Amino acid sequence: MKYVLWQVLGMILVALSGQGVIRLLIDHDRYGLLAWVPGGFAVHLISYLAVTAIGVVLAGWAADQVKKTKTTR
């Protein structure tokens, strides 16, 4: 069950940060949730992309762990 929660958290990160990347690419002045991060457009874009990558890795890792626990039972 705990891996499912990690997977959901990873998917939420991907959804929110992916939306932030798209919004930032369309309107360069709207920084969204990461507006508190100091820096300009490039810093915010890299931050959103990093959070997206972290979410993808976290969701993938959790999905693998769920598969492992289902096959060992």
Side-chain angles (χ1 to χ4, degrees):
M1 180 67 181
K2 66 180 179 181
Y3 294 119
V4 174
L5 294 177
W6 284 111
Q7 188 175 11
V8 169
L9 177 64
M11 291 186 292
I12 289 171
L13 285 175
V14 169
L16 291 177
S17 58
Q19 180 184 14
V21 168
I22 293 169
R23 180 188 311 119
L24 189 61
L25 288 174
I26 292 172
D27 186 5
H28 298 303
D29 294 328
R30 290 190 57 194
Y31 296 134
L33 291 175
L34 296 181
W36 58 271
V37 175
F41 171 75
V43 173
H44 286 94
L45 182 63
I46 291 170
S47 299
Y48 274 117
L49 290 174
V51 173
T52 303
I54 290 169
V56 167
V57 169
L58 181 62
W61 170 79
D64 289 342
Q65 296 301 318
V66 168
K67 288 178 187 176
K68 284 182 186 177
T69 56
K70 285 185 178 181
T71 58
T72 59
R73 288 182 182 182

